[in-house]
Amino acid sequence: MRITMIGSGYVGLVSGACFSDFGHDVICVDKDAGKIAALEAGKMPIFEPGLDTLVAANVAAGRLKFTTDLKAAVAGADAVFIAVGTPSRRGDGHADLTYVFAATREIAEAIDGPVVIVTKSTVPVGTGDKVEEILKELAGDFPIAVVSNPEFLREGAAIGDFKRPDRIVIGTEDARAQQVMRDVYRPLYLNESPILFTGRRTSELIKYAANAFLATKITFINEIADLCEAVGANVQDVSRGIGLDNRIGSKFLHAGPGYGGSCFPKDTLALLKTAEDYETPVRIVEAVVQVNDTRKRAMGRKVITALGGDAKGKTVAVLGLTFKPNTDDMRDAPSLAIVQSLLDAGAAVRAHDPEGMEIAKGMMPEIAYCHDAYEAAAGADAVVIVTEWDIYRALDLKRLAGTMAAPVMVDLRNVYRASDVEKAGFAYSSIGR
Ligand SMILES: NC(=O)c1ccc[n+]([C@@H]2O[C@H](COP(=O)([O-])OP(=O)(O)OC[C@H]3O[C@@H](n4cnc5c(N)ncnc54)[C@H](O)[C@@H]3O)[C@@H](O)[C@H]2O)c1
């Protein structure tokens, strides 16, 4: 099959590389010429484990190509995927569909035969209808079907998730489009990954419902963690105690500094806007958004409390900046709010992150960036673990304490056991324990 991927960011690039690995001919398009030039030179624009070798192998096999020329890439394609960004619209939280509709118009002008257009971007209910309208108006009389196929991959584990998905959701009632999508996903079909065919609007909503549910699960355990602190219980044991119940499940029950990243914050907001538009409030998600926003700021206060209530003139070492490990994605990372609250309180911040520092420098130019955890902690009054990268899991705690002005550790990911850290001389606080 010939597949064209419009947008070669996280989702477009990973999906394109995996489809080519299935044996399809894939061309990934991006309007960012620098990104395409880098990809052609074998450089990955994002950090994602295994992506460089997957891309290199499929480029070498002649199945994966990159271009900025959307028109040429769309001509003759069996399926054209839209995988452009859908960020929060400034000011109101609606999903900004500017890129989706701009890409649709460009695709419309390039269509030269029957084709299936697939929105892989996360888009609000009804977007597929609008995409179809634009195509009908601009693309002439070719048989065109518009399908919703939301993506559920997780950054940091994206290739595994794409190749072994829990499910594939395909929203279309068009028989020909269903067949094309079956062919696109045939290798996974043979692996017996569940494929759910549904209506387009339902498929669009499934993605938002999934992300809102996961955000709710995280927020739930975060509030239970606060309660644990108040009553003297241990949230990790509570998580295990409830997570072993199959009806609940153990994933997404790790208490922490609040969810962030490129999806949950914007997708929960966009779902609220859809609910508002249709006058059907989802109050539980409203609460989740509010609680999570408050929590990120509260984490800054937690650090200040650990510093003795005053951060003025103090230095804080922040370990981990990305919103989760194994990615360089800094979008809506909790570290941004935490660092800002420390700066506002008069502290100086020294940070380390294995992959996120290049991007972080542009977003937080006022802090110092260090080679490793020990350099960040040197002379600091507290060290804060914000992201649970593996390299922070087995720090030489005695060495770390020895470099600091005051050995104080705030572990926002519950990476350590209190007894181990305290043995190394630290005053230690964590989440919900
Ligand atoms: N990042 C994730 O983990 C994830 C997971 C599931 C779903 N999604 C959804 O997938 C979509 C894409 O997210 P992302 O993280 O890959 O975004 P991204 O910002 O990493 O990539 C989007 C890319 O699209 C390109 N682009 C925009 N308009 C274009 C056009 N007209 N022609 C060609 N290229 C164009 C941009 O230059 C950019 O490189 C979003 O809707 C997001 O919500 C993301």
Side-chain angles (χ1 to χ4, degrees):
M1 299 201 80
R2 266 212 51 197
I3 294 176
T4 301
M5 192 64 65
I6 311 294
S8 308
Y10 240 108
V11 165
L13 183 56
V14 170
S15 309
C18 290
F19 280 143
S20 66
D21 210 46
F22 293 167
H24 299 312
D25 281 323
V26 178
I27 182 146
C28 287
V29 183
D30 208 285
K31 62 177 186 187
D32 179 340
K35 198 174 264 189
I36 293 300
L39 282 164
E40 282 180 326
K43 288 200 202 86
M44 296 303 107
I46 50 168
F47 173 76
E48 179 62 37
L51 186 61
D52 46 359
T53 38
L54 187 75
V55 167
N58 285 285
V59 167
R63 288 189 298 261
L64 180 60
K65 297 192 173 69
F66 303 101
T67 184
T68 54
D69 185 349
L70 184 143
K71 198 163 187 189
V74 166
D78 297 301
V80 176
F81 283 76
I82 299 175
V84 301
T86 49
S88 269
R89 198 161 70 188
R90 246 167 216 272
D92 68 2
H94 267 290
D96 182 349
L97 297 173
T98 315
Y99 302 110
V100 172
F101 294 142
T104 305
R105 280 189 288 274
E106 287 180 69
I107 293 166
E109 277 155 24
I111 286 175
D112 64 350
V115 65
V116 173
I117 309 296
V118 191
T119 47
K120 201 163 239 332
S121 297
T122 302
V123 292
V125 172
T127 304
D129 304 353
K130 291 193 190 127
V131 166
E132 190 169 278
E133 267 170 43
I134 297 172
L135 292 169
K136 278 203 175 124
E137 192 188 320
L138 300 178
D141 290 334
F142 300 112
I144 300 166
V146 176
V147 176
S148 159
N149 170 221
E151 182 50 55
F152 299 98
L153 62 78
R154 291 164 303 168
E155 293 184 10
I159 294 168
D161 284 353
F162 194 92
K163 289 191 163 185
R164 286 177 296 283
D166 289 337
R167 79 305 206 183
I168 299 154
V169 174
I170 295 174
T172 177
E173 271 140 19
D174 181 293
R176 187 182 63 89
Q178 286 183 355
Q179 190 51 51
V180 168
M181 295 306 286
R182 264 195 207 96
D183 292 343
V184 164
Y185 282 106
R186 179 163 310 280
L188 297 184
Y189 203 56
L190 297 176
N191 278 350
E192 299 187 351
S193 297
I195 301 196
L196 172 67
F197 285 96
T198 175
R200 193 165 62 201
R201 286 181 158 239
T202 304
S203 166
E204 289 169 338
L205 189 54
I206 285 171
K207 174 66 191 176
Y208 284 101
N211 275 359
F213 190 86
L214 293 172
T216 303
K217 215 172 164 191
I218 295 174
T219 307
F220 174 81
I221 202 63
N222 284 341
E223 287 207 307
I224 293 293
D226 292 347
L227 189 55
C228 284
E229 287 179 21
V231 303
N234 181 325
V235 74
Q236 282 179 311
D237 291 345
V238 173
S239 291
R240 197 162 153 72
I242 64 174
L244 284 169
D245 183 330
N246 283 330
R247 292 169 301 178
I248 296 174
S250 59
K251 303 221 172 112
F252 280 75
L253 282 182
H254 301 288
Y259 64 77
S262 66
C263 291
F264 288 179
K266 78 172 178 68
D267 291 348
T268 44
L269 281 183
L271 180 63
L272 291 185
K273 287 294 161 188
T274 302
E276 210 177 287
D277 289 348
Y278 287 84
E279 292 178 25
T280 311
V282 273
R283 292 199 186 86
I284 200 162
V285 183
E286 285 170 20
V288 164
V289 169
Q290 258 173 27
V291 169
N292 195 64
D293 281 351
T294 318
R295 184 168 190 84
K296 290 190 204 169
R297 284 192 296 275
M299 292 300 113
R301 286 198 297 279
K302 189 176 175 83
V303 178
I304 294 166
T305 304
L307 285 166
D310 187 6
K312 212 175 196 135
K314 303 266 173 73
T315 299
V316 179
V318 170
L319 304 185
L321 297 170
T322 53
F323 82 96
K324 58 146 91 171
N326 295 322
T327 178
D328 59 358
D329 203 333
M330 284 293 301
R331 288 178 279 187
D332 266 314
S335 67
L336 297 168
I338 295 168
V339 166
Q340 191 56 53
S341 68
L342 293 172
L343 295 175
D344 290 346
V349 174
R350 298 163 59 77
H352 174 259
D353 187 281
E355 295 294 337
M357 291 200 289
E358 270 322 298
I359 296 173
K361 280 176 189 166
M363 303 170 93
M364 298 184 286
E366 57 282 77
I367 68 175
Y369 293 89
C370 305
H371 283 314
D372 60 18
Y374 303 100
E375 193 192 76
D381 300 283
V383 60
V384 187
I385 300 179
V386 177
T387 313
E388 68 280 31
W389 284 91
D390 279 345
I391 49 156
Y392 304 141
R393 286 182 184 277
L395 293 167
D396 178 340
L397 295 172
K398 281 217 167 101
R399 180 180 160 205
L400 196 72
T403 62
M404 296 177 65
V408 171
M409 180 184 281
V410 183
D411 178 359
L412 299 180
R413 299 290 181 172
N414 291 345
V415 167
Y416 286 102
R417 262 204 301 266
S419 54
D420 295 343
V421 188
E422 282 160 4
K423 215 185 290 162
F426 278 97
Y428 177 73
S429 55
S430 59
I431 299 281
R433 303 189 296 179

